[in-house]
Amino acid sequence: MSVVQYESIPIDGVTAVNTSLSAVKLDRGKLFADFSIDDRPLAVRVTIADVVVHRLIDGIELPKEELEPHSGLSRDHLAYSLTGSRFFEIFSPMINGHSAHYRFITGTSCLDVISKARPLIRTIGIAT
């Protein structure tokens, strides 16, 4: 069994445990996801073009067949680029051209995205 490699995508002041997924929208192959930051008046907005497939898992329970050995996963990060995941292996034969697997993990949810484009991630202020 191969080891899934998690490569973190750092976002200043944002961790898996201080964020909540607040919205997900797919529009003509472009995915928009907003994450609220529990202890700051900020949100993280993720935009990913050329989405091939995505899934949202509430309660953070990954399917048993995907409980693979892994390296690089930390509660200190929200966003990751993955290599060697079962989710990607299942869909890669149906994808034309280069694509990558991105995973966004909060304390209570997991958003997986296979896309031909890298995510655009930015923090935005929220009026309180």
Side-chain angles (χ1 to χ4, degrees):
M1 182 179 286
S2 65
V3 175
V4 177
Q5 297 293 324
Y6 282 76
E7 182 180 334
S8 65
I9 302 171
I11 308 166
D12 283 342
V14 178
T15 69
V17 295
N18 77 340
T19 58
S20 301
L21 181 61
S22 53
V24 176
K25 177 183 175 185
L26 184 65
D27 185 18
R28 289 177 244 157
K30 187 180 276 190
L31 185 129
F32 303 90
D34 289 339
F35 298 87
S36 58
I37 302 172
D38 300 336
D39 55 355
R40 298 171 66 192
L42 296 172
V44 174
R45 177 153 297 154
V46 176
T47 306
I48 308 174
D50 296 323
V51 171
V52 177
V53 65
H54 76 285
R55 73 173 174 186
L56 175 61
I57 300 174
D58 256 347
I60 206 63
E61 291 295 325
L62 289 174
K64 285 187 179 24
E65 64 271 9
E66 291 188 44
L67 297 177
E68 308 140 317
H70 58 271
S71 172
L73 181 62
S74 165
R75 62 186 280 149
D76 294 331
H77 298 286
L78 167 70
Y80 296 91
S81 174
L82 278 70
T83 55
S85 73
R86 181 79 179 128
F87 182 70
F88 185 78
E89 289 174 8
I90 290 169
F91 290 99
S92 61
M94 298 173 255
I95 301 168
N96 294 325
H98 174 77
S99 59
H101 180 187
Y102 301 99
R103 181 170 282 169
F104 302 87
I105 301 174
T106 70
T108 59
S109 62
C110 173
L111 175 62
D112 282 301
V113 180
I114 296 175
S115 173
K116 294 181 179 185
R118 290 189 54 81
L120 171 64
I121 303 171
R122 60 190 173 179
T123 54
I124 55 175
I126 298 175
T128 56

